[in-house]
Amino acid sequence: MASLRILLVGNGGREHALAWKLSQSPLVETIVAVPGNGGTAGLPKMINNTSVAADDYPGLVELARKERLNLVVPGPEAPLVDGIEGFFREAGIPCFGPSKEAARLEGSKTFSKDFMKKHNIPTAAYENFSDYEKASEYLRTAKHNVVIKATGLAAGKGVIIPETQEEAQQALKEIMLDKTFGSAGDEVVIEEFLTGDELSIISFCDGTTIKSFPPAQDHKRIGEGDTGLNTGGMGCYAPTKIATPELIARIEREVLQPTIDGMRKDGFPMRGCLFTGLMITADGPKTLEYNTRFGDPETQTVLPLLESDLAEIMWACAGLPLLHRVPVKIKPGFSTTVVVAAPGYPNSYPKNIPMQVGSAPDGTTIFHAGTKLSDGQLLTSGGRVIAANATGKTLREALDKAYEGVKLIQFDGMYYRKDIAHRAFRKSDATSKLTYAQSGVSIDAGNELVDRIKAAVKTTRRAGADAEIGGFGGEVDLSNAGFPGAPILVGAIDGVGTKLIIAQKMDKHDTVGIDLVAMNVNDLIVQGAEPVMFLDYYGCSKLSVPVAASFVEGVAKGCIQSGCALVGGETAEMPDLYTGDDYDAAGAAIGVMKATQRLPRKDDMIEGDVLIGLASAGVHSNGFSLVRKVVETRGLEYTDEAPWEAGSSVGQSLLTPTRIYVKPLLKVLEATGGAIKGMAHITGGGLTENVPRMLAAHLAADIDVATWEAPAVFQWLRQSVVPAEMARTFNNGVGMVLAVSREGADSVVAGLEAEGEKVYRIGRLVAKTGEACVLRNLESWAA
């Protein structure tokens, strides 16, 4: 080991990080990278070699003999699964990596799940399928949420987490029939979906001994807030704050050591690097997957924390089992990596984009992945192009330095997530940050119910009525229903929710009557319909005439504001159902429109259409279960002065009625022709879930939340609610969003402002590559 001459196979960010660390070792004389990348080309002791293909294993052996190379380090998974270790074992050259038999732990998810079951390693419940019809039937009968995994290698993208039965069946079809991931999808594993915090542990192994890096947390999704398509990894940080010494000891005892022992007992000892993906559930750690090589971008994150000599460690694992004699020492502090991707990734993306990279200061390192040098010019050559890593005494310091490192990178269309490590900071404030679910309300359950009842709804179809649900209102085309020349009827039904509890505590009931009308008529106008009639329902334990009269008077005010007639209603006393002064209310609005007025016009929407937001009057009438939970946890009474509004009590301010947008929008719709292509009423589900309801399937809303100033009540709520939860629960100051043609945007804005509306230009429509609603600068909502 006095002089190591290393063959490094691969060309990604992981290989650049390995070369960077290995080149620092006094034991290393030379490193030959096949093929290497634009980053490895500039390292000391490095030579990029493209004379042999990375998958030409006999050719690599000949290259190693020619260049007197005496240690092989395969980076990616494919060579290991192909059995590269065996080629070099026969040649008598040590290889830091597992045998082909051991690499099955990564190469076949079916094999790895069966291995976990055999050795009692905690993991999710699962079933393996090679028959599409049987897998499809299993999905139909499964009683739990699922994860679908292509069993073979799929470059880190062969894992689908469907949210509905329809999505699950479509994913299964794409994997097994359409062969989205090629032969990797010949067989699938369908697992129980686990909830908790995910983390990864990279370990050195010599077949008997295992020594690990601190746990890291990757960010697989392309979009901020962990949204959108899966990628190979958009960023990472280590160590994770959830990984206490007690938890790490439990993982070593229940997962890592049993894995190493089980592989040795089964005749394929693990030598090299074992990457273990874990979910920390309420029942403890559960194993998600194994990789039998370094992870990416985890490698770029943990290697800068390694004080020990990487080359010495690798040599101790590759030959005789000597790892127990070699120290694996970790520096104190934190490390963060931010990946910069090509435009369009993880879908199709361009290559050969010229790029510039500045010199990094101490403590910051730029790791190349999809780059190459051509006539001295650095060019992009992959999807995940390059990454900035930084270390620091605190996670915040490391994170800020990493983002400063990103500023050194320049190429057209570059994309990176701006919220790396966001889960760590949310966890640190867990005692004060609340979710809607903690208040007893599940948005996800509501969405699941809609999916479950769609089939039943479809059975009620009749001429003129499509019997679809999921939009803002339901339609009946009377002309097609047997009434020639009649208009289209549009109906909406809604309630006020737990805002009524505040009305009852404050003994103020007129404004919630306005809310009831607003929630319904705003849902009509977004379809292009003019409200013409309204009916209400009032249920109580014992009828209080003053309370009921005040409520109905509020309903009448709302009808006047929206131009519709209050034509009827129902009052019900049910002492066995309600108690004390409790009451509940619901309403239904009916509107009319011509077919030419129908919105949204999804076929007319194009990239570049402008998104316009209309200011809200406050919280409106959604999310009040969470609002009340925040008020409770902050120790406030509804009669206390509102911290966000001097001179008003908490209850009075929260009872500000929902803004009714009907008359201004009707006027502007008529005046601006076809400029307005769609509208979304921002109610339950917030911006995240309401804006996509008006969009064409191929388009997404790109919204910059920094383009408007939210009312003070939302700024106060943000002190207790994380940004992503704010976005999917409240309107945050924008009660209505319009999709407008670029040419007509100015006239629409002018018309609405003339009607007294406060208007913001909040974003635009873009091609959909992941989530249907992308909220930029969401971190600005973090209090």
Side-chain angles (χ1 to χ4, degrees), residues 533-575:
M533 57 188 263
F534 192 85
L535 301 96
D536 65 6
Y537 166 84
Y538 182 95
C540 59
S541 173
K542 183 177 181 180
L543 184 63
S544 168
V545 173
V547 171
S550 179
F551 171 79
V552 175
E553 287 165 2
V555 173
K557 289 180 183 177
C559 287
I560 292 169
Q561 290 181 33
S562 57
C564 65
L566 177 58
V567 298
E570 167 72 6
T571 301
E573 286 186 274
M574 294 176 284

Side-chain angles (χ1 to χ4, degrees), residues 75 144 173 175 238 273 321 344 484 494 520 581 619 734:
H144 50 71
K173 176 179 177 293
I175 294 173
C273 176
D494 209 340
N520 284 280
D581 296 329
V619 183
V734 172

Side-chain angles (χ1 to χ4, degrees), residues 161 219-223 226-231 234 417 771:
I161 306 175
H219 297 63
K220 284 292 185 188
R221 301 281 190 170
I222 186 65
D226 299 316
T227 58
L229 298 175
N230 257 356
T231 71
M234 292 302 297
R417 280 182 56 169
E771 290 299 299

Side-chain angles (χ1 to χ4, degrees), residues 175-399:
I175 294 173
M176 298 194 76
L177 299 184
D178 300 340
K179 299 298 183 184
T180 301
F181 304 113
S183 61
D186 290 347
E187 189 173 20
V188 297
V189 176
I190 300 179
E191 288 185 3
E192 174 190 8
F193 176 72
L194 299 176
T195 59
D197 282 286
E198 195 169 341
L199 57 80
S200 306
I201 296 183
I202 292 177
S203 308
F204 295 109
C205 313
D206 68 357
T208 301
T209 302
I210 183 168
K211 294 185 178 182
S212 303
F213 283 97
Q217 195 165 63
D218 186 14
H219 297 63
K220 284 292 185 188
R221 301 281 190 170
I222 186 65
E224 289 163 19
D226 299 316
T227 58
L229 298 175
N230 257 356
T231 71
M234 292 302 297
C236 185
Y237 66 98
T240 59
K241 292 190 174 182
I242 63 168
T244 62
E246 294 78 15
L247 177 60
I248 293 172
R250 183 175 178 183
I251 291 170
E252 290 175 346
R253 182 175 65 251
E254 297 181 6
V255 177
L256 300 181
Q257 195 61 53
T259 298
I260 297 302
D261 293 343
M263 295 177 76
R264 187 178 64 255
K265 291 174 183 176
D266 287 353
F268 46 90
M270 178 64 207
R271 296 187 180 93
C273 176
L274 179 70
F275 175 109
T276 309
L278 299 148
M279 182 72 77
I280 310 305
T281 73
D283 298 324
K286 297 287 182 73
T287 309
L288 297 176
E289 64 174 353
Y290 295 114
N291 294 330
T292 55
R293 38 76 189 180
F294 284 96
D296 184 344
E298 289 89 350
T299 305
Q300 298 92 303
T301 306
V302 298
L303 280 183
L305 295 174
L306 180 64
E307 280 191 355
S308 303
D309 190 319
L310 178 61
E312 183 181 15
I313 296 170
M314 287 183 164
W315 183 261
C317 296
L320 296 174
L322 298 173
L323 182 58
H324 66 285
R325 297 175 57 180
V326 177
V328 177
K329 188 175 181 182
I330 304 299
K331 301 175 186 176
F334 293 83
S335 178
T336 305
T337 301
V338 180
V339 173
V340 180
Y345 177 81
N347 291 319
S348 61
Y349 52 84
K351 296 182 180 181
N352 299 313
I353 304 173
M355 55 188 301
Q356 296 79 41
V357 180
S359 298
D362 290 343
T364 302
T365 308
I366 305 299
F367 289 120
H368 293 238
T371 71
K372 66 179 182 180
L373 281 171
S374 179
D375 296 327
Q377 171 66 58
L378 188 64
L379 303 173
T380 67
S381 62
R384 289 185 300 157
V385 176
I386 199 166
N389 169 268
T391 56
K393 293 180 181 179
T394 66
L395 180 56
R396 172 55 65 187
E397 179 187 348
L399 185 66

Side-chain angles (χ1 to χ4, degrees), residues 97-109:
S99 65
K100 184 174 184 176
E101 293 74 20
R104 288 179 298 171
L105 213 57
E106 176 171 8
S108 170
K109 291 181 175 62

Side-chain angles (χ1 to χ4, degrees), residues 632-660:
E632 176 189 336
T633 58
R634 301 287 284 272
L636 291 173
E637 300 291 338
Y638 291 106
T639 52
D640 293 341
E641 183 174 76
W644 61 87
E645 186 178 350
S648 178
S649 70
V650 171
Q652 287 172 327
S653 181
L654 291 175
L655 288 173
T656 300
T658 304
R659 191 169 184 84
I660 295 176

